[in-house]
Amino acid sequence: MEYDKLGKSDLLVSKIGFGCMSLRGSLDDHKTLLNKALELGINYFDTADLYEDGENESKIGTLLKPNRKDIVLATKVGNQKQADGSTTWNASKAYIVQAADKSLKRLQTDWIDLYQLHGGTIEDNIDETIEAFELLKQQGKIRYYGISSIRPNVIRQYVVKSNIVSVMMQYSLLDRRPEETCFDLLEKNQISVVTRGSVAQGLLVDKPAKPYLDYTEKEVLKTVSAIQQVADGIKSKAQVALQFALAPKVVASAVVGIRTVAQLEDAVATLDVLGLTQQELDYLRNAIQAKRYEQHR
């Protein structure tokens, strides 16, 4: 396993992160999988209070408690569950502070290594939101904070106003929005990117082709064909997709949703197989024209 420093923090995170949202079901179903992840060197585990109405945090807290000092535990906040079962956005200081206490209890820990705002809009009182994270840092309840967002206008505000160490964002061959305005800005400010969605809901691996974002089914098929060409029987399509996501210098880790030991071993082996050459990266990038989204933000 390889590790990278997360922004200006002292957190060293595994280049392959474990996306815990994929862990649906009982504790017994996932104990073997998480133990294997630890054995293979994964130390970065990402969850959210939204997943399974908090039950995901509870499972992770129970399963990873024996290894708490050896892992980087990340969770998210901002989506408030209502009495009728619906979810509303709440980035207020009062809500974030109380939500953190609930996450700490479910995670069975005294601190959260990385606490992330799970979204964010330009209409939020961003100064107040930042106050909440800074207070939690002062209290020792969180070590660092970041945001999970693909909105450039929101990200810019946090870069200027806050001490975020990371931005989690969707990034793949079929979603290159972060390249437009974010990667250069974040790298300049020593803020790391954590990617998600690197296999585009499985479309870049084994799912039947269908339209994705502004890409047509034909364009998706063309992208998959390019990945297969680069894989050339030496590596899996998932490994090529992950190597693409990890290629930018600003990316510290690719968080992957993992459901089986086979998927886990394949993802971790991404770092063992021969990396992408610049020629292969250019070939993948030129397979289809990247869609431009900035005008819609």
Side-chain angles (χ1 to χ4, degrees):
M1 179 58 64
E2 297 174 16
Y3 302 87
D4 203 350
K5 193 159 77 79
L6 199 66
K8 296 177 183 177
S9 78
D10 61 0
L11 299 175
L12 287 176
V13 296
S14 50
K15 297 289 284 184
I16 300 296
F18 198 113
C20 299
M21 186 173 68
S22 61
L23 297 179
R24 305 280 176 169
S26 70
L27 289 176
D28 289 340
D29 292 338
H30 309 310
K31 186 175 181 179
T32 300
L33 190 58
L34 287 177
N35 284 340
K36 186 65 175 178
L38 291 165
E39 179 188 321
L40 292 173
I42 290 180
N43 76 340
Y44 182 37
F45 296 85
D46 179 88
T47 183
D49 59 5
L50 178 66
Y51 303 160
E52 300 178 275
D53 296 334
E55 183 59 28
N56 197 269
E57 285 185 329
S58 296
K59 286 189 293 191
I60 296 306
T62 298
L63 291 168
L64 293 178
K65 188 175 182 179
N67 306 94
R68 180 63 189 94
K69 293 182 179 180
D70 302 318
I71 65 171
V72 175
L73 191 55
T75 191
K76 311 182 196 76
V77 65
N79 295 281
Q80 184 175 20
K81 195 78 171 182
Q82 302 300 315
D84 63 1
S86 64
T87 301
T88 58
W89 178 246
N90 191 342
S92 70
K93 180 178 180 179
Y95 175 68
I96 291 172
V97 169
Q98 72 167 18
D101 286 335
K102 293 178 180 178
S103 286
L104 285 166
K105 184 176 181 179
R106 286 190 293 264
L107 290 165
Q108 301 179 51
T109 184
D110 295 326
W111 78 96
I112 294 166
D113 295 300
L114 179 66
Y115 203 34
Q116 302 158 102
L117 187 67
H118 202 174
T121 72
I122 202 66
E123 289 77 29
D124 294 340
N125 185 336
I126 292 176
D127 291 334
E128 179 184 320
T129 301
I130 294 169
E131 283 180 14
F133 285 109
E134 290 292 342
L135 175 61
L136 291 168
K137 274 185 67 178
Q138 292 169 14
Q139 294 173 336
K141 294 179 179 180
I142 68 173
R143 295 184 64 192
Y144 300 99
Y145 64 96
I147 61 173
S148 176
S149 176
I150 58 170
R151 297 185 172 103
N153 53 0
V154 173
I155 292 170
R156 290 188 198 105
Q157 290 295 308
Y158 278 90
V159 168
V160 171
K161 295 183 173 185
S162 78
N163 294 307
I164 59 170
V165 299
S166 64
V167 178
M168 173 177 261
M169 46 200 346
Q170 186 165 292
Y171 178 60
S172 73
L173 260 175
L174 288 175
D175 190 351
R176 290 160 60 186
R177 286 175 286 181
E179 296 175 359
E180 294 179 24
T181 58
C182 295
F183 278 2
D184 288 345
L185 173 68
L186 295 174
E187 185 172 354
K188 180 181 178 181
N189 286 275
Q190 295 178 268
I191 297 168
S192 290
V193 169
V194 175
T195 68
R196 61 178 179 84
S198 303
V199 296
Q201 298 176 358
L203 293 174
L204 297 179
V205 183
D206 55 8
K207 295 289 179 65
K210 64 177 182 179
Y212 183 78
L213 297 177
D214 285 354
Y215 291 102
T216 65
E217 181 178 330
K218 184 177 179 180
E219 288 174 319
V220 171
L221 283 169
K222 189 174 181 182
T223 304
V224 175
S225 177
I227 287 177
Q228 185 67 64
Q229 184 74 20
V230 170
D232 195 27
I234 299 172
K235 57 185 89 171
S236 70
K237 287 184 285 187
Q239 288 169 348
V240 174
L242 284 171
Q243 286 182 340
F244 177 86
L246 287 166
K249 183 180 178 182
V250 71
V251 175
S253 180
V255 169
V256 184
I258 297 166
R259 292 183 173 85
T260 68
V261 171
Q263 290 176 343
L264 171 63
E265 292 176 337
D266 186 71
V268 172
T270 297
L271 304 173
D272 295 327
V273 295
L274 190 64
L276 297 176
T277 65
Q278 187 59 52
Q279 183 178 5
E280 289 171 329
L281 278 170
D282 292 341
Y283 174 74
L284 291 170
R285 288 179 177 279
N286 294 329
I288 56 169
Q289 184 68 36
K291 302 294 183 180
R292 310 303 293 182
Y293 293 91
E294 178 62 17
Q295 66 268 26
H296 301 305
R297 293 292 167 195

